[in-house]
Amino acid sequence: QVQLVESGGDLVQPGGSLRLSCAASGFTFSASYMTWVRQAAGKQLEWVGTIDSDGANTYYTRSVKGRFTIARDNAKNTLYLQMNSLKSEDTAVYYCAKGDYADYQLGSRAQGTQVTVSS
């Protein structure tokens, strides 16, 4: 059973930074592409970015490219999302997922972590 627990969300001012974490278990993390998605209130899930299994390559949606960075620590089974220069439109619940942008799976509980960007 894929278990993914997101943390690190908070209320932050525009221009601020946050780092989200995702603790993974129930599958071979080091062999898996991993993805971050987000869902703003009243909107559909939006792909944010993907990292390959060894962290050598990352891919981002255009709206976050240059501001967000995905990283992973395979020894700790943990995925990260560093978010800089945050904007109000980044406000959403953020989820990590197993897989790539075309085929990903949320955790069995899919709780996510809330990021609110507001002054």
Side-chain angles (χ1 to χ4, degrees):
Q1 192 177 27
V2 172
Q3 297 205 22
L4 300 166
V5 180
E6 303 90 348
S7 62
D10 206 345
L11 170 64
V12 62
Q13 292 188 344
S17 297
L18 276 178
R19 188 176 83 154
L20 306 184
S21 299
C22 169
S25 61
F27 63 101
T28 306
F29 179 78
S30 60
S32 301
Y33 277 54
M34 295 296 295
T35 286
W36 285 99
V37 297
R38 65 186 180 184
Q39 188 169 29
K43 297 189 177 180
Q44 292 186 333
L45 277 173
E46 176 189 21
W47 172 72
V48 174
T50 294
I51 187 168
D52 64 9
S53 57
D54 63 3
N57 295 289
T58 52
Y59 312 89
Y60 301 95
T61 192
R62 184 177 297 180
S63 63
V64 309
K65 203 167 186 179
R67 301 189 297 120
F68 289 12
T69 302
I70 299 175
R72 64 191 298 159
D73 185 336
N74 284 347
K76 295 182 178 179
N77 282 6
T78 302
L79 178 71
Y80 302 100
L81 179 65
Q82 177 67 44
M83 305 186 293
N84 299 328
S85 302
L86 282 161
K87 305 176 181 181
S88 58
E89 51 263 43
D90 296 318
T91 295
V93 178
Y94 284 71
Y95 301 89
C96 60
K98 174 180 177 291
D100 65 24
Y101 63 90
D103 184 16
Y104 60 81
Q105 176 186 0
L106 298 180
S108 57
R109 295 187 177 181
Q111 291 184 330
T113 188
Q114 175 72 49
V115 173
T116 302
V117 185
S118 175
S119 54

